[in-house]
Structure formats: structure tokens, C-alpha cells
Amino acid sequence: MDVKTVCLGMLTEGEASGYDLKKEFESSFSHFFAAGYGSIYPALASLAEQGLVTCECIPQTGKPDRKVYRITVAGRRFLAEALENPSPCHKLRSEFLATLCFAHLMKPEDIETVLDNRLAEIEEYKKFFKDLEDGDLQCMHAGTKFVVGFGKAMMAATEAFIAENRHTLIEADDRKSATA
Amino acid sequence: MDVKTVCLGMLTEGEASGYDLKKEFESSFSHFFAAGYGSIYPALASLAEQGLVTCECIPQTGKPDRKVYRITVAGRRFLAEALENPSPCHKLRSEFLATLCFAHLMKPEDIETVLDNRLAEIEEYKKFFKDLEDGDLQCMHAGTKFVVGFGKAMMAATEAFIAENRHTLIEADDRKSATA
DNA sequence: CGCAACATGTAAGCGGTTACATGATTAC
DNA sequence: GTAATCATGTAACCGCTTACATGTTGCG
């Protein structure tokens, strides 16, 4: 499941341009699947070449032609097969956690900053999820609702964990040497 | 914070070979930072070239020389600076969630399989965290404990969320057409 | 007046994954 | 006997990120 396949999936909701898909990546997908123009545009070109989508060029004045993509029957078939993967991966890459592994080498105020910045990011996500749900809850698919709910649950769990455990990083005996 | 920096951090715990570090990546780091030999060996070579670690070759019979790396003073300085990043990133890449976004295009039994496989992976992580804690809780740094606790909290939250919400994916009205 | 939104794309580069190459020892 | 553990490394590849290139319209 790469950027190409996700684009294909998004196109099952209706026609869209690369620009439109980027916005989709920035909204409901932002917390678990990032993609920039540099991935999206080549992905769409490649999908078109494989016949999985069609492309209609709509001339515009002043702007580059708007290219509207639509999924084809072959595209739906391809997507269905991709969705049959029984164990799609779920991978975290966290420099945040890696940093905290070495908290005993950090200044206490730096630890606090790292923690507070993470909490601030979570706060933004929470707002953002709220907006999503306020917006078009009823027109969201069950899958999208599930995924947004999942994001909310993770953010809540993270917040709670940090609140309950941040003191262990600051008060730790192992800051200079084992005092045990 | 790339593989190189994490290796450097691991070496603050004492000397180690690339092989040793790989085991470390597979244990306490496995749930948030993956690295294979193809990343680790070049990383160590590069660190040595920069003078951030020293390398001692220990000849062995039958096996390639064991190369033992130790962090240098310059290495500690470099690491300290890297740890000053106030907003280390925390990025999820989930084909699991991407797949479920398109649950309405999947067969119910395939949805169940995807969910059950994820739960099985979580079960493994939980066992694995338990082993970690049983093993050497008292010799673990506060940071490592925090990070393992974080992993446990995420796994628990994920399990609970799936248990409470899986039915919404199967029973959804939007499977064929909106029945609303 | 300036910034944000609209709109597409390329090219270089980077970091990481995967596969390959080698081979002894030890435990089941 | 055969699988796992020990032990290191290279090379090709792949996907994604970042920076660059271009230009209008409309809002505050």
C-alpha cells in the first residue's frame, strides 16, 4: 500500500486533481499517511500510464491546466486486490521516543520542552479531529470514522501517558549515576 | 535523529558491535524505530570516520573479526547537541489504517482478518514488553522504562479501540450504497 | 501591497530496505 | 542433519522529501 494505491482509493470517492488529493492527505490521512506533491503527481502519472485512472485536462486561464483523474474498472480491480493484503503494516518512526530513551543525558528543562511540544502537537490534532467530525460526520464512511476515532484514541492515550509519567523522567535517579 | 544518532546513543551504555546494536533495535526499540544491518553497519563506519566512535577489531576464528565500537568525547558532544532538538518528529505510517479507510470496498471476512492480524501483532508486542520488564527492570534507565510504558499504553489503547469499534466497520450501511 | 490559494510538475538527493555473499559453531 | 546464532559487509534499488520553476486570482 503505497502512495499510488492510496490515491486510487481516494479516487473511488469521485474525480479529483492532484491538488485535491493533497488536501485529502492533509486532512483525514494526515495522522497516519503523509504524502507531498513530489509523491502524488508522479503517482497519478504512473496510474494513468497503467490504465488504472483516466486523466482529463481542463484548460484554465492563468493557471496550469487542471487535470482531473477518474478511477477505471481496472483501477477498481487493482485496488480490491491491494485491499486483500491480510496484514497491512503499521509502522511508527519516532525520534520523540528515541530522544526520551536518552533522557538521562538531557537537561531537565530540555526534557520538559520536548514533552510540552509533543503535547502541543497533540492538542492541534485534537482540534483538527473535532473540526473533521463537526464538518461532515454523516457523509463520512464508516472506515474514515473508524480511522479518525483511532487517531483520537491514540492522542488521548498519549496525553494521559505523558501526564502520568513525565515526572519519572525528571526525578530519575539515573541522571548522573545510579543512586540505588 | 537518524540511525547514526541512535547508534551513538546506544553506545553510551557501553561498547558494542553492529551485531549487538541490531539486537538492541530488535528489543526495546522495535516498536518505534526499525533498523537493519544495511543501515547499522554503514552508520557505524560513518561514525568512526567522523571520529564520533572508535573501532577495535577483535580477530576471531571462523567468524569475521568482531568490531567493537566505543563512543568518544566528540561523540558525546555530538549526541548532546542532537538531543537538544525541541520537537523530534513522531511519525506513523499505517497501511493498516489506510486499508480500513476503504473498508466499504472490502469483504467483511477480509476486514475481520485484517483486524485480527493486527490484534495478534499487538499480543506479541505485549508478551515482548512483559519479557523486557521481567528481565531487567531495575537496570533499565528511566527513559527506557518510559518508552516501554508508552508502547504498552498504545497497544492497550489500540486493543480497546478495535474491540469497541470493529462492529462499525462490518455493520456499516455504506457497504453497497447509502441506506440512510 | 502582500499573502494565501490555486495548479502542475521536475530533478537531485537521501535514507533505508532487500538481497546477496561467506562461513564456523552450537544446540536440538 | 538442520536450524539458529554469531558476525560483517556491499550493492542495487526504491520510495519519498526537498527544493526549484512558474504564474494568476482574490482577499484583507
Side-chain angles (χ1 to χ4, degrees), chain A residues 17 19 41 60 63-67 93:
Chain A
S17 65
Y19 194 82
Y41 286 122
Q60 299 190 125
K63 297 172 208 175
D65 295 355
R66 183 176 153 87
K67 290 190 174 178
R93 172 94 178 191

Side-chain angles (χ1 to χ4, degrees), chain B residues 41 59-60 64 114 119 121 135 138 152 159:
Chain B
Y41 286 122
Q60 298 190 125
V114 166
L119 287 174
E121 274 171 51
Q138 74 267 40
K152 281 175 71 178
E159 254 188 335

Side-chain angles (χ1 to χ4, degrees), chain B residues 15-58:
Chain B
E15 57 177 46
S17 65
Y19 194 81
D20 294 332
L21 294 185
K22 176 64 165 32
K23 280 189 293 188
E24 185 96 5
F25 275 107
E26 278 166 1
S27 71
S28 34
F29 281 68
S30 64
H31 62 295
F32 67 90
F33 209 107
Y37 290 122
S39 308
I40 296 168
Y41 286 122
L44 288 170
S46 161
L47 287 169
E49 212 178 321
Q50 287 177 262
L52 303 177
V53 300
T54 59
C55 173
E56 186 190 354
C57 281
I58 298 168

Side-chain angles (χ1 to χ4, degrees), chain A residues 75-88:
Chain A
R76 282 178 196 277
R77 208 157 35 217
F78 182 94
L79 177 62
E81 267 165 49
L83 293 176
E84 274 168 19
N85 175 0
S87 292

Side-chain angles (χ1 to χ4, degrees), chain A residues 45-73:
Chain A
S46 161
L47 288 168
E49 211 178 323
Q50 287 178 263
L52 303 177
V53 300
T54 58
C55 174
E56 187 190 352
C57 281
I58 298 168
Q60 299 190 125
T61 52
K63 297 172 208 175
D65 295 355
R66 183 176 153 87
K67 290 190 174 178
V68 173
Y69 294 89
R70 288 183 197 89
I71 190 166
T72 63
V73 175

